[in-house]
Amino acid sequence: MFGLVASEDGEDHFHPFWAHDRESEKDAFEQAIDFMTARLTRHPHAHIYHYASYEEAALKRLAMYHGTREREVDDLLRGDRLVDLYKVVAESIRTSEPRYSIKNMEAFYLPEGRQGAVKTAGDSIVIYERWRRIGGDQLLQEIAEYNEVDCRSTRMCRDWLVLLRPPETLWFTGRALEPADPVKVAAREEADERTRKIAEALIAGEDVPWRRLLTDLLEFHRREAKPSWWAMFARQDMDTQALLDDAECIADLQPHPTRRPWADKSRSFIHSPSRPRISRCGSATSRYGRARSNRQARSSRSTRTSTSSS
């Protein structure tokens, strides 16, 4: 279930989008994204608040899995519309709680605690599995109520953080985005329309498995490249320590004080000696190391054979 709380005329309203299988999951995902996109169109300066990285990761994963609403998800990420309150809490305040989960933070802005039969994510899984066995609208209602409390708690957490915000602190405005290139936009729309027509023609033909598979493979390489681009842009907001901890990054590079840059480069860099070397399996370094070890092993066996023969 996708759950959203949105303010209408000064009042918060809960909007659930249910799915019980893969087909309905695609429909619910599209409805949730369309709802968010429409809200942001009406309120250009609005943001979507969540707690921790799960929601953002789920949007990316579902857009890739179902091959739908990819451009809308890109716009949410590119425009900094998604605000992770967990990062704000973890980087700005100290608490007496043992963890920074939203359940722990509720001790400060929801002192009466949570009510209802479902109080944790684990409880919601158990209740849903029970619904799958025996059915009953009441069980689904309990899950919806839990999700609504989660959404409203996120809203209350945001308001609590605003109250703690020092007056001199600047408001986050998001990164400045350059206007989209009309030529590239037109080319992308033309490609999307062409892909849509091909997909419709494949599905309208004989109902055989290879047609559905071929439809799913359309635009595969472009979708496959998206996670790498998303990761690259996400790293632009990471600090040095986080980049050093990321095995996919070469972080803490510093200009070389004396070595001249290559002819086609504007600057030479030297790597910080404090970062340990990481050799990934399958890399050129790893293959070279294995090849060298194999040569040494063969040489050793040859020496032993020669010695025993003599």
Side-chain angles (χ1 to χ4, degrees):
M1 183 182 70
F2 303 89
L4 298 164
V5 163
S7 179
E8 295 284 354
D9 300 325
E11 294 185 6
D12 289 344
H13 297 275
F14 178 63
H15 302 269
F17 302 92
W18 282 97
H20 301 293
D21 52 44
R22 283 299 186 184
E23 289 298 324
S24 60
E25 180 185 67
K26 179 180 180 180
D27 295 337
F29 173 71
E30 291 176 341
Q31 293 170 16
I33 292 294
D34 292 344
F35 178 84
M36 289 186 276
T37 302
R39 290 281 305 180
L40 293 173
T41 300
R42 295 200 304 271
H43 306 280
H45 300 292
H47 291 85
I48 300 170
Y49 297 92
H50 59 97
Y51 202 90
S53 60
Y54 174 80
E55 285 78 7
E56 179 179 324
L59 293 180
K60 295 176 182 177
R61 184 179 68 254
L62 292 172
M64 294 297 95
Y65 182 87
H66 294 293
T68 183
R69 300 301 188 268
E70 298 169 60
R71 184 187 304 174
E72 288 79 0
V73 172
D74 279 341
D75 290 341
L76 291 176
L77 301 172
R78 190 181 301 113
D80 289 325
R81 295 304 189 96
L82 302 177
V83 179
D84 185 356
L85 294 180
Y86 171 78
K87 292 181 179 179
V88 180
V89 169
E91 297 177 7
S92 62
I93 66 174
R94 293 182 179 180
T95 78
S96 56
E97 289 293 308
R99 292 179 298 276
Y100 280 109
S101 74
I102 195 168
K103 305 296 192 304
N104 291 92
M105 293 302 102
E106 288 173 358
F108 302 102
Y109 60 83
L110 195 65
E112 67 275 11
R114 295 190 175 218
Q115 308 299 321
V118 183
K119 293 184 172 63
T120 67
D123 292 341
S124 67
I125 295 174
V126 172
I127 295 297
Y128 187 75
E129 289 299 321
R130 186 182 303 168
W131 173 82
R132 293 183 64 184
R133 293 196 308 269
I134 65 177
D137 294 339
Q138 179 59 34
L139 296 176
L140 293 182
Q141 181 61 31
E142 291 177 2
I143 296 174
E145 289 173 356
Y146 164 76
N147 189 274
E148 180 176 358
V149 171
D150 246 7
C151 294
R152 294 184 182 275
S153 177
T154 303
R155 167 62 183 269
M156 295 173 69
C157 181
R158 180 264 179 195
D159 295 343
W160 172 63
L161 290 171
V162 170
L163 292 176
L164 298 179
R165 170 183 170 272
E168 66 277 8
T169 304
L170 298 177
W171 286 99
F172 172 76
T173 57
R175 71 189 74 184
L177 299 178
E178 297 182 359
D181 186 343
V183 176
K184 292 183 178 180
V185 171
R188 182 68 260 165
E189 292 177 349
E190 181 181 352
D192 289 342
E193 181 64 17
R194 184 169 59 251
T195 301
R196 185 187 64 80
K197 290 181 178 179
I198 295 174
E200 289 180 351
L202 284 169
I203 296 175
E206 184 182 0
D207 187 14
V208 290
W210 69 264
R211 286 181 173 271
R212 173 60 62 180
L213 176 61
L214 191 57
T215 301
D216 293 337
L217 289 176
L218 294 175
E219 298 281 305
F220 167 78
H221 295 288
R222 184 173 65 87
R223 289 199 301 270
E224 185 73 5
K226 278 185 180 293
S228 298
W229 285 104
W230 286 336
M232 184 194 73
F233 286 113
R235 291 187 181 108
Q236 295 179 3
D237 297 326
M238 296 167 65
D239 59 23
T240 301
Q241 186 57 50
L243 293 172
L244 286 171
D245 293 338
D246 189 341
E248 301 290 335
C249 288
I250 302 177
D252 199 20
L253 291 178
Q254 302 171 5
H256 197 283
T258 59
R259 185 174 299 172
R260 296 179 60 186
W262 291 358
D264 60 339
K265 306 295 181 183
S266 61
R267 180 177 296 179
S268 292
F269 290 92
I270 184 171
H271 191 267
S272 171
S274 62
R275 178 176 173 87
R277 293 186 62 187
I278 299 176
S279 179
R280 295 184 61 201
C281 182
S283 66
T285 303
S286 300
R287 290 195 296 271
Y288 171 76
R290 289 196 296 271
R292 185 177 181 183
S293 299
N294 291 338
R295 286 198 300 271
Q296 291 174 343
R298 287 194 297 270
S299 175
S300 176
R301 288 196 297 270
S302 175
T303 301
R304 289 196 300 271
T305 303
S306 299
T307 302
S308 60
S309 299
S310 62

